[in-house]
Amino acid sequence: MNLFAAISTEPALWSPEWLPRLPQRLVEMLLGFLGAPEWLVSIAGFLVAAGTVVGVFLGGFALLSLIERKTLARIQNRIGPNRAGWFGILQPVADGIKMLTKEDIVPAKAEKFLHLLAPILIVVPAILALGVIPYGREWTPVSLELGLLFFFAVGSLTELSVFIAGWASGSKFPMLGAMRAISQMVSYELPLIISALGVVMVSGTLSLPLIVEQQGGFHLGFIPAWNLFTPWGFFAGILFFICSIAEANRCPFDLPEGESEIVAGHMTEYSGFKYALFFMGEYLGLFAISALGITLFLGGWQAPLPGLGFLPSWIWFFGKLAIVIFMFLWIRGTYPRVRIDQLMRFAWLCMIPMALLTLPAAGIWTILNRDGHGFLAWAITVPLLLIPCVIVTVIFNRRLASANRTYRFAE
Amino acid sequence: MTPLAMMLTLSSVLFALGLLAVLTRRNAILVLVGIELMLNAANLNFIAFWAFDSPGAHNAAEPVLSGPMFVMFSIAIAAAEAAVGLAIILMVFRHTRSTDLNKLDSLHG
Amino acid sequence: MIPLLILSPLILLAAIGAVWMARPVHAALMLALTLALVAVLYLALGAEFIGLVQFAVYVGAVAVLIVFSLLITRPGDEAEEIERRPRSLVTGLLCTLPVMAVLAYTAASGSNIKLIPWQPKLSIAELGEVLFTSHAPAVLALAVLLTAVLIGAALFAREPDKTQDDSSEK
């Protein structure tokens, strides 16, 4: 199947670069040694490679659930979990045991099958999306020619599963939460994809490993040649980050599950392990969208400074991932939740026009740089993006954000 | 049965099912579901003729892309059609509080 | 050939579900399943780009739009639908079966010419090049159409009175 445009580089056997693929290679060598047929070897290799990624990110999920609580506690001047183990390190284990042993309740009015299907359909696309990210120079679990398109295609399944969760629960708050979630995700998916398109235009490929490779090297000897450090890339990266907050349903865009308004949105009627699956799907989705942002704008596994290439590349990737995730936590601890009319206006009147503007800017930038007019490229693209950005921000702050909400069912 | 004949039969059955939905459903949104099925049947034919064409029929230097190209445009237009169709249905719903096509028999809103 | 043999019955079953399910939301979800399976068929036939676009557009946008408008309009219960179904099925089949018979007959008889599957490779680079050179007028026309659709749908779906539409659908 030519879907897998395999990049077949054979790395040196014991280099640290190669460490994450050790399980895969060991299984392949073992099966080859036992005389298994070739298709079985490659399938087993794929399975083990996928298992490695799932394992890494499930560990990350457990760790993040603790770190998030600790960070939020620090921001709010509390202590946070500190009973289970030293520094609360065993808290994820305790949470896991609690979730697994809780009673699983299905409402009488629920659609039994769809109610069960929804949490599974939340986790699956997140794991699929994590499979195409290049984590290191030698570590791309599944290297697809159309990786970026694949990411967005499976990511669009999330909306449907949120709808199923909200509808199958057969109750009021999940339905409201699902409606909010769908309108929010559809609205923010547009600028998300458009801001990623600029990168595709410039690099001329949809393959994520190739996009990372094109961001190698340094300007002036020390500024990394990442897409973030170009005018269009800077704006597109910020837009992408804002959209990914909305796509991951994080505060300040966590209206679909705003606990003070609609209990827990589409997850209201879930308990026990199914609730844990929703939780997991959300965190895995957060990892996936941050990893994609790093791949597109922050140079993926490329080292941030010259001379740091001696460390294995995947360490840089996970370092960047930790920083980006911390930004998410920081924002969650700092900003209040927005109102839904502000949220939708912001998407349609600010995000989409600005995202559309990054496309011509990326085109102009590429063409002028190709012809050697580096200074002219800066001189044209920076005002092209900065002036509309200022105008949009000013208008939004003056007119739209402060527009009084009219209440239909309250005084 | 050749693969091409199978694909074409599949798409003709799919088309018939879509037509059945359009003819029997009363809910306007579900009529739209039938239309989507019929559109997909047409798309399947394009891909079938592209995938199972005879190798000698084309100039080897020229890429054969008419099939996928048609499907791409048709997908884009199908999305537009769904958006406008649903918007119209919503507007009708706002007037009559119903999406039942049998109840839309008055000439004045 | 093997993916075709596995997928075609699944596609047909899902499509029958989309046509036959009494509850509107079930029918819409079965439609989403049908479209996803067709996307898998495209992938298996070597048209990966088309398959993924089909998945993103149909499952991610069209199916979501359909279920969302079902949520907004809240169709009544399906008892009436089930009750009048036998009658409508007879009429529907009367009109549909001839169409299907003609189509299937043509498909089965006309394609007896030996066509060898040649499994072409769909290269996106070529696709993009053709799209923006020889097909550029079509792309422009499509862009105009989509813009008109965006504006038109937003105007249609707007609340007629001046209340703020807080959950603007689109």
Side-chain angles (χ1 to χ4, degrees), chain B residues 1 3 7 11 20 34 38 45 48 55 62 75 79 81 84 96 98 107:
Chain B
M1 223 177 184
M7 284 275 288
S11 86
L20 186 65
M38 287 156 76
N45 270 8
E62 223 174 86
I75 287 177
E81 168 252 309
V84 171
T96 63
S98 158
L107 279 176

Side-chain angles (χ1 to χ4, degrees), chain A residues 243-288:
Chain A
C243 291
S244 54
I245 298 175
E247 283 287 303
N249 288 342
R250 304 281 304 181
C251 197
F253 298 138
D254 59 347
L255 293 130
E257 52 210 58
E259 63 276 3
S260 57
E261 301 160 18
I262 47 172
V263 192
H266 56 273
M267 306 185 283
T268 307
E269 300 292 351
Y270 284 92
S271 56
F273 189 60
K274 289 181 194 159
Y275 184 78
L277 277 181
F278 272 107
F279 207 57
M280 194 166 99
E282 209 154 274
Y283 275 96
L284 289 184
L286 181 66
F287 279 128

Side-chain angles (χ1 to χ4, degrees), chain A residues 75 241 245 251-252 326-336:
Chain A
I75 291 173
F241 183 66
I245 298 175
C251 197
F326 177 71
M327 297 276 288
F328 276 106
L329 301 186
W330 195 3
I331 287 174
R332 177 176 171 190
T334 316
Y335 283 97

Side-chain angles (χ1 to χ4, degrees), chain A residues 295-306:
Chain A
T295 307
L296 292 179
F297 296 104
L298 291 175
W301 41 258
Q302 307 274 5
L305 282 173

